[in-house]
Amino acid sequence: MPHDTPAHKRILIKLSGEALMGDDAFGINQAVIGRIVGEIAEVARMGVQVAVVIGGGNIFRGMAGGAVGMDRATADYMGMLATVMNALALADAMNKTGLTARVMSAISIDQVVEPYVRPKALQYLEEGKAVVFAAGTGNPFFTTDTAAALRGAEIGAELVLKATKVDGVYSADPRKDAQATRYARLSFDEAMTKNLGIMDATAFALCRDQKLPIKVFSIFKPGALKAVVMGADEGTLVHV
């Protein structure tokens, strides 16, 4: 395989809302979102089809006090709306870089974003557009990790990329243990036995059952996303 040929044609990136905050307490840091979008646009220009599932923790964090004591389902629907706001911001930044993006929501907000329809999402990806999936699965009690696993399986992604603040999965917290070592590869069974908490149990089981590998990497490390799609030893690969 030529060194400039991507190892993966279609990927799904699971991006937490907190990744958009930078050093802010909550909300969206424009410098951070611009840097992340720059990394995504670079791999898209290489011909990689990119889908993103975005979380909403950065927006919802600003409302956390008001959510105390709230019914769980109601709070989860509020969280879904937060993901829609993040998805709109992400798509706007993508469009400004020249990468055409479409936001698709699991809940109906027709005046703002189009509903998620699998054939339409596949069409956008084939056309070279980035697709940002918002509102999780559209159901309370399910995390955006589960939405990433579900959408990844539905669109036939070759890899789910869990974008984090650390450059992989470690034997211990590297911020607290200088002896912690990064795993280059793990099987799903090994990750479960070691209780590494890579994704929530539902998402993890779905990826395992669908034989959909997960790559954990740092979205803040320059060039890391490109290295992952090129098949380099970057981050941690979790596989069957």
Side-chain angles (χ1 to χ4, degrees):
M1 179 181 292
H3 71 278
D4 59 347
T5 301
H8 305 285
K9 179 184 177 184
R10 180 177 294 170
I11 61 173
L12 184 139
I13 302 170
K14 168 55 175 63
L15 187 62
S16 70
E18 287 82 355
L20 305 183
M21 294 192 308
D23 295 326
D24 299 341
F26 58 87
I28 297 170
N29 184 300
Q30 289 299 323
V32 170
I33 198 171
R35 191 161 61 245
I36 291 172
V37 166
E39 299 274 339
I40 294 173
E42 182 179 15
V43 300
R45 285 192 292 268
M46 295 163 54
V48 179
Q49 298 175 8
V50 180
V52 180
V53 167
I54 185 77
N58 59 316
I59 302 294
F60 196 70
R61 184 174 296 185
M63 305 182 290
V68 174
M70 186 177 291
D71 177 79
R72 168 64 189 276
T74 300
D76 281 359
Y77 280 118
M78 290 171 63
M80 290 179 212
L81 295 176
T83 72
V84 174
M85 287 188 273
N86 280 339
L88 288 170
L90 191 65
D92 180 71
M94 288 177 174
N95 287 321
K96 287 177 178 175
T97 66
L99 173 60
T100 304
R102 295 287 183 267
V103 177
M104 306 189 87
S105 171
I107 56 176
S108 181
I109 321 176
D110 292 350
Q111 292 90 337
V112 182
V113 292
E114 61 182 292
Y116 168 66
V117 179
R118 179 175 175 270
K120 194 69 174 178
L122 292 172
Q123 177 186 329
Y124 287 149
L125 290 169
E126 292 289 348
E127 291 171 351
K129 298 179 174 71
V131 180
V132 184
F133 296 118
T137 67
N139 302 286
F141 309 108
F142 290 92
T143 68
T144 49
D145 275 354
T146 300
L150 178 63
R151 296 291 180 250
E154 285 182 308
I155 67 171
E158 299 169 17
L159 189 65
V160 169
L161 280 64
K162 187 171 173 70
T164 68
K165 293 183 178 180
V166 293
D167 61 343
V169 179
Y170 281 77
S171 57
D173 188 340
R175 295 168 296 183
K176 300 177 181 178
D177 186 352
Q179 302 303 314
T181 56
R182 177 178 66 87
Y183 296 106
R185 301 172 70 94
L186 282 165
S187 71
F188 282 101
D189 290 341
E190 286 174 325
M192 293 176 71
T193 300
K194 296 176 187 294
N195 195 29
L196 295 173
I198 294 168
M199 281 184 164
D200 73 71
T202 303
F204 205 70
L206 180 56
C207 286
R208 181 192 60 190
D209 293 347
Q210 296 300 316
K211 297 180 173 56
L212 180 58
I214 303 166
K215 174 77 84 165
V216 182
F217 77 108
S218 172
I219 191 66
F220 296 104
K221 181 179 177 181
L225 178 58
K226 180 180 179 180
V228 168
V229 301
M230 296 299 290
D233 178 22
E234 181 70 44
T236 299
L237 178 67
V238 186
H239 59 96
V240 175

